[in-house]
């Protein structure tokens, strides 16, 4: 893995545990020689990841919609900043530029990015690892819900392992490096769907 898309919130929560975790992720990726592909913002967890990676000598590639550049939230210190027209273009470029996905805490936009990465993997649009960093138990209920979807049959047995999660970035990166692609829906016959 030479570049990872990092999905996270643009908000700055009152609990600075999340900002500290984002900084740790940025530093760790840079120290491991893994470039950051992210939403291109300078605020919240996004800015913390980018700043920490840059301070540690890492590569940071931002992908931001033009409307957000106009709102003055773009991080101008990125190694490269791609400005796109739509959110769909943004997510496609995340996928094209990265070797996998790491999701930190965030809100609705972060969830949209995570579930699309999982859905596209399940279908077969990509075969890259999808990681979830469970900072301070933030994603405990989401992990339980994902397990519930699998236990009730809404996630096929072949796709149970798409979502990789860990409480530490180091453990998550190791698990992602060991990921082996699953059988995709596109490769299945109708009788097995």
């Amino acid at each position: 893995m030479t570049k990872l898309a990092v999905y996270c919130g643009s908000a700055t929560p009152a609990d600075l545990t999340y900002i500290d975790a984002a900084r740790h992720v940025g530093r760790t990726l840079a120290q491991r020689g893994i470039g950051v592909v992210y939403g291109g913002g300078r605020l919240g967890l996004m800015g913390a990841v980018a700043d920490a990676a840059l301070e540690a000598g890492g590569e940071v590639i931002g992908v931001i919609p033009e409307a957000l550049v106009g709102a003055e939230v773009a991080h101008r210190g990125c190694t490269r900043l791609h400005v796109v027209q739509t959110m769909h273009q943004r997510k496609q470029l995340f996928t094209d530029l990265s070797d996998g996905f790491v999701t930190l805490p965030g809100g609705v936009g972060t969830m949209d990015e995570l579930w699309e990465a999982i859905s596209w993997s399940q279908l077969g649009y990509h075969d890259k690892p999808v990681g979830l960093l469970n900072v301070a138990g933030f994603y405990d209920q989401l992990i339980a819900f994902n397990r519930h979807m699998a236990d009730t049959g809404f996630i096929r047995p072949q796709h149970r392992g798409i979502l990789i999660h860990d409480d530490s970035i180091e453990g998550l990166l190791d698990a992602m490096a060991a990921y082996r692609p699953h059988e995709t829906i596109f490769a299945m016959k109708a009788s097995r769907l």
Side-chain angles (χ1 to χ4, degrees):
M1 296 183 297
T2 62
K3 290 185 185 66
L4 288 176
V6 178
Y7 298 144
C8 59
S10 60
T12 302
D15 184 347
L16 295 182
T17 299
Y18 301 110
I19 294 292
D20 292 341
R23 288 185 181 123
H24 181 64
V25 167
R27 278 192 304 275
T28 301
L29 292 176
Q31 290 164 355
R32 290 194 179 198
I34 300 171
V36 172
V37 180
Y38 86 117
R42 61 178 176 81
L43 305 175
L45 272 68
M46 277 192 198
V49 168
D51 288 342
L54 289 166
E55 289 164 11
E59 177 184 32
V60 175
I61 301 168
V63 183
I64 191 166
E66 188 171 19
L68 291 177
V69 174
E72 299 181 356
V73 299
H75 193 305
R76 299 296 183 174
C78 293
T79 309
R80 282 195 314 278
L81 184 65
H82 296 273
V83 178
V84 296
Q85 295 301 307
T86 69
M87 293 299 283
H88 292 292
Q89 291 170 334
R90 182 190 213 186
K91 290 186 287 185
Q92 182 65 57
L93 200 50
F94 283 149
T95 302
D96 294 343
L97 294 175
S98 71
D99 302 311
F101 311 87
V102 173
T103 302
L104 280 62
V108 174
T110 304
M111 291 300 90
D112 173 52
E113 292 163 341
L114 170 65
W115 289 115
E116 183 165 286
I118 293 170
S119 175
W120 285 16
S121 176
Q122 184 175 271
L123 289 167
Y125 285 112
H126 73 76
D127 62 357
K128 302 170 184 184
V130 180
L132 182 71
L133 184 60
N134 190 22
V135 176
F138 184 82
Y139 284 121
D140 285 350
Q141 292 175 339
L142 186 142
I143 292 165
F145 180 63
N146 191 67
R147 187 177 312 114
H148 175 67
M149 288 190 292
D151 290 347
T152 55
F154 287 103
I155 295 177
R156 291 172 181 83
Q158 303 90 317
H159 304 142
R160 285 185 80 110
I162 291 174
L163 180 63
I164 303 164
H165 55 87
D166 201 285
D167 297 342
S168 76
I169 187 61
E170 295 82 4
L172 184 60
L173 292 174
D174 291 345
M176 290 173 68
Y179 173 74
R180 296 294 168 256
H182 56 278
E183 184 180 16
T184 68
I185 289 175
F186 292 157
M188 294 178 178
K189 300 282 188 210
S191 61
R192 298 188 51 229
L193 294 175

